Amino acid sequence: MEREIHEQYEYARRRLKQKKRLYYHFVLLLIGSIFLYVSSKIFETDLNPNWYIWAITIWVFLFVLHFIKVFITDRFMNKNWEREQIDRLVGLQQKKLVELQSEIEEDTTKQAL
């Protein structure tokens, strides 16, 4: 029982850390976007006047990937999902072992006759 409580605590702590990093990423995205916009208007480069739009777009794309990882992927593929997959794979292996065992027993009985 104590192990389960510890696992739940560790899972909650890890999720909180993930969410905290995501919120930090969002704030950094906002501040960085404002900085890129202001710096592009102040320094007006001749190369590409809208270079900051590309930088912000790439950054938003990376933020969306981070968001998907935190709120979609990690939410559904947690410890319970891992345990279910492990149990399923162990069950399949045991089934194969039983089948092989029965084949071996059949072969030995045929050879004995």
Side-chain angles (χ1 to χ4, degrees):
M1 186 69 169
E2 190 173 305
R3 182 177 181 214
E4 288 180 17
I5 293 171
H6 180 69
E7 285 180 3
Q8 290 174 349
Y9 173 77
E10 287 298 318
Y11 174 74
R13 192 173 63 80
R14 192 174 70 243
R15 289 289 295 159
L16 183 63
K17 193 173 185 179
Q18 285 178 336
K19 289 179 182 181
K20 185 178 177 182
R21 286 180 182 165
L22 180 69
Y23 297 146
Y24 177 74
H25 188 176
F26 180 71
V27 170
L28 195 62
L29 171 66
L30 288 178
I31 293 170
S33 298
I34 292 169
F35 174 75
L36 289 174
Y37 175 76
V38 170
S39 65
S40 72
K41 295 304 177 186
I42 290 174
F43 296 117
E44 294 185 19
T45 57
D46 292 334
L47 298 174
N48 185 356
N50 294 327
W51 64 270
Y52 67 94
I53 293 175
W54 288 103
I56 293 171
T57 302
I58 291 169
W59 201 347
V60 166
F61 177 73
L62 293 173
F63 176 76
V64 168
L65 289 178
H66 190 181
F67 181 86
I68 289 171
K69 181 183 181 320
V70 170
F71 283 107
I72 296 174
T73 305
D74 285 352
R75 187 177 207 177
F76 295 113
M77 294 184 183
N78 55 19
K79 288 286 184 185
N80 292 332
W81 181 82
E82 288 178 13
R83 285 187 188 132
E84 289 172 5
Q85 295 301 314
I86 289 171
D87 291 342
R88 185 181 63 83
L89 292 173
V90 167
L92 288 173
Q93 289 175 348
Q94 288 176 346
K95 182 180 175 183
K96 287 181 182 179
L97 285 173
V98 168
E99 290 174 359
L100 288 173
Q101 186 74 24
S102 64
E103 286 179 16
I104 291 171
E105 289 174 1
E106 287 176 10
D107 288 343
T108 55
T109 55
K110 287 180 182 178
Q111 289 177 356
L113 295 175

mmCIF file of all heavy atoms in Angstrom, residues 3-13:
data_model
loop_
_atom_site.group_PDB
_atom_site.id
_atom_site.type_symbol
_atom_site.label_atom_id
_atom_site.label_comp_id
_atom_site.label_asym_id
_atom_site.label_seq_id
_atom_site.Cartn_x
_atom_site.Cartn_y
_atom_site.Cartn_z
ATOM 1 N N ARG A 3 3.841 1.605 -1.161
ATOM 2 C CA ARG A 3 4.494 1.757 -2.463
ATOM 3 C C ARG A 3 3.568 2.457 -3.454
ATOM 4 O O ARG A 3 4.005 3.309 -4.221
ATOM 5 C CB ARG A 3 4.906 0.389 -2.979
ATOM 6 C CG ARG A 3 5.628 0.464 -4.299
ATOM 7 C CD ARG A 3 6.092 -0.901 -4.734
ATOM 8 N NE ARG A 3 6.804 -0.787 -5.980
ATOM 9 C CZ ARG A 3 6.787 -1.700 -6.914
ATOM 10 N NH1 ARG A 3 6.126 -2.814 -6.741
ATOM 11 N NH2 ARG A 3 7.461 -1.530 -8.023
ATOM 12 N N GLU A 4 2.294 2.092 -3.457
ATOM 13 C CA GLU A 4 1.324 2.722 -4.358
ATOM 14 C C GLU A 4 1.176 4.204 -4.055
ATOM 15 O O GLU A 4 1.100 5.018 -4.972
ATOM 16 C CB GLU A 4 -0.034 2.028 -4.251
ATOM 17 C CG GLU A 4 -0.075 0.662 -4.859
ATOM 18 C CD GLU A 4 -1.437 0.025 -4.733
ATOM 19 O OE1 GLU A 4 -2.413 0.749 -4.463
ATOM 20 O OE2 GLU A 4 -1.514 -1.193 -4.900
ATOM 21 N N ILE A 5 1.142 4.552 -2.782
ATOM 22 C CA ILE A 5 1.036 5.961 -2.396
ATOM 23 C C ILE A 5 2.267 6.724 -2.859
ATOM 24 O O ILE A 5 2.162 7.833 -3.390
ATOM 25 C CB ILE A 5 0.835 6.091 -0.873
ATOM 26 C CG1 ILE A 5 -0.525 5.519 -0.476
ATOM 27 C CG2 ILE A 5 0.957 7.545 -0.435
ATOM 28 C CD1 ILE A 5 -0.742 5.405 1.013
ATOM 29 N N HIS A 6 3.428 6.106 -2.710
ATOM 30 C CA HIS A 6 4.661 6.745 -3.162
ATOM 31 C C HIS A 6 4.661 6.923 -4.685
ATOM 32 O O HIS A 6 5.064 7.970 -5.196
ATOM 33 C CB HIS A 6 5.877 5.925 -2.726
ATOM 34 C CG HIS A 6 7.173 6.514 -3.151
ATOM 35 N ND1 HIS A 6 7.669 7.684 -2.628
ATOM 36 C CD2 HIS A 6 8.069 6.107 -4.094
ATOM 37 C CE1 HIS A 6 8.818 7.975 -3.219
ATOM 38 N NE2 HIS A 6 9.076 7.028 -4.102
ATOM 39 N N GLU A 7 4.201 5.910 -5.425
ATOM 40 C CA GLU A 7 4.118 6.011 -6.887
ATOM 41 C C GLU A 7 3.150 7.107 -7.308
ATOM 42 O O GLU A 7 3.427 7.857 -8.243
ATOM 43 C CB GLU A 7 3.692 4.678 -7.494
ATOM 44 C CG GLU A 7 4.777 3.637 -7.508
ATOM 45 C CD GLU A 7 4.321 2.332 -8.119
ATOM 46 O OE1 GLU A 7 3.166 2.243 -8.583
ATOM 47 O OE2 GLU A 7 5.130 1.389 -8.139
ATOM 48 N N GLN A 8 2.008 7.195 -6.623
ATOM 49 C CA GLN A 8 1.041 8.259 -6.937
ATOM 50 C C GLN A 8 1.634 9.629 -6.671
ATOM 51 O O GLN A 8 1.452 10.561 -7.446
ATOM 52 C CB GLN A 8 -0.235 8.070 -6.118
ATOM 53 C CG GLN A 8 -1.056 6.888 -6.544
ATOM 54 C CD GLN A 8 -2.229 6.635 -5.619
ATOM 55 O OE1 GLN A 8 -2.319 7.215 -4.538
ATOM 56 N NE2 GLN A 8 -3.127 5.761 -6.036
ATOM 57 N N TYR A 9 2.362 9.745 -5.583
ATOM 58 C CA TYR A 9 3.001 11.013 -5.249
ATOM 59 C C TYR A 9 4.045 11.383 -6.305
ATOM 60 O O TYR A 9 4.092 12.533 -6.763
ATOM 61 C CB TYR A 9 3.659 10.935 -3.872
ATOM 62 C CG TYR A 9 4.481 12.148 -3.539
ATOM 63 C CD1 TYR A 9 3.872 13.336 -3.146
ATOM 64 C CD2 TYR A 9 5.866 12.126 -3.657
ATOM 65 C CE1 TYR A 9 4.633 14.459 -2.870
ATOM 66 C CE2 TYR A 9 6.629 13.231 -3.382
ATOM 67 C CZ TYR A 9 6.007 14.410 -2.988
ATOM 68 O OH TYR A 9 6.755 15.514 -2.728
ATOM 69 N N GLU A 10 4.860 10.429 -6.703
ATOM 70 C CA GLU A 10 5.890 10.686 -7.716
ATOM 71 C C GLU A 10 5.255 11.058 -9.054
ATOM 72 O O GLU A 10 5.747 11.936 -9.760
ATOM 73 C CB GLU A 10 6.811 9.473 -7.883
ATOM 74 C CG GLU A 10 7.765 9.279 -6.745
ATOM 75 C CD GLU A 10 8.719 10.440 -6.581
ATOM 76 O OE1 GLU A 10 9.229 10.961 -7.591
ATOM 77 O OE2 GLU A 10 8.943 10.846 -5.427
ATOM 78 N N TYR A 11 4.173 10.379 -9.415
ATOM 79 C CA TYR A 11 3.471 10.701 -10.660
ATOM 80 C C TYR A 11 2.912 12.121 -10.596
ATOM 81 O O TYR A 11 3.057 12.900 -11.544
ATOM 82 C CB TYR A 11 2.348 9.695 -10.913
ATOM 83 C CG TYR A 11 1.499 10.052 -12.100
ATOM 84 C CD1 TYR A 11 1.979 9.884 -13.386
ATOM 85 C CD2 TYR A 11 0.212 10.562 -11.937
ATOM 86 C CE1 TYR A 11 1.211 10.215 -14.481
ATOM 87 C CE2 TYR A 11 -0.559 10.893 -13.021
ATOM 88 C CZ TYR A 11 -0.063 10.715 -14.300
ATOM 89 O OH TYR A 11 -0.831 11.058 -15.383
ATOM 90 N N ALA A 12 2.288 12.471 -9.485
ATOM 91 C CA ALA A 12 1.727 13.823 -9.335
ATOM 92 C C ALA A 12 2.838 14.870 -9.369
ATOM 93 O O ALA A 12 2.686 15.925 -9.996
ATOM 94 C CB ALA A 12 0.947 13.921 -8.027
ATOM 95 N N ARG A 13 3.950 14.570 -8.739
ATOM 96 C CA ARG A 13 5.067 15.515 -8.733
ATOM 97 C C ARG A 13 5.631 15.701 -10.139
ATOM 98 O O ARG A 13 5.912 16.814 -10.570
ATOM 99 C CB ARG A 13 6.164 15.006 -7.788
ATOM 100 C CG ARG A 13 7.234 16.027 -7.470
ATOM 101 C CD ARG A 13 8.196 15.528 -6.413
ATOM 102 N NE ARG A 13 8.946 14.371 -6.814
ATOM 103 C CZ ARG A 13 10.031 14.415 -7.606
ATOM 104 N NH1 ARG A 13 10.455 15.563 -8.059
ATOM 105 N NH2 ARG A 13 10.669 13.308 -7.916
#
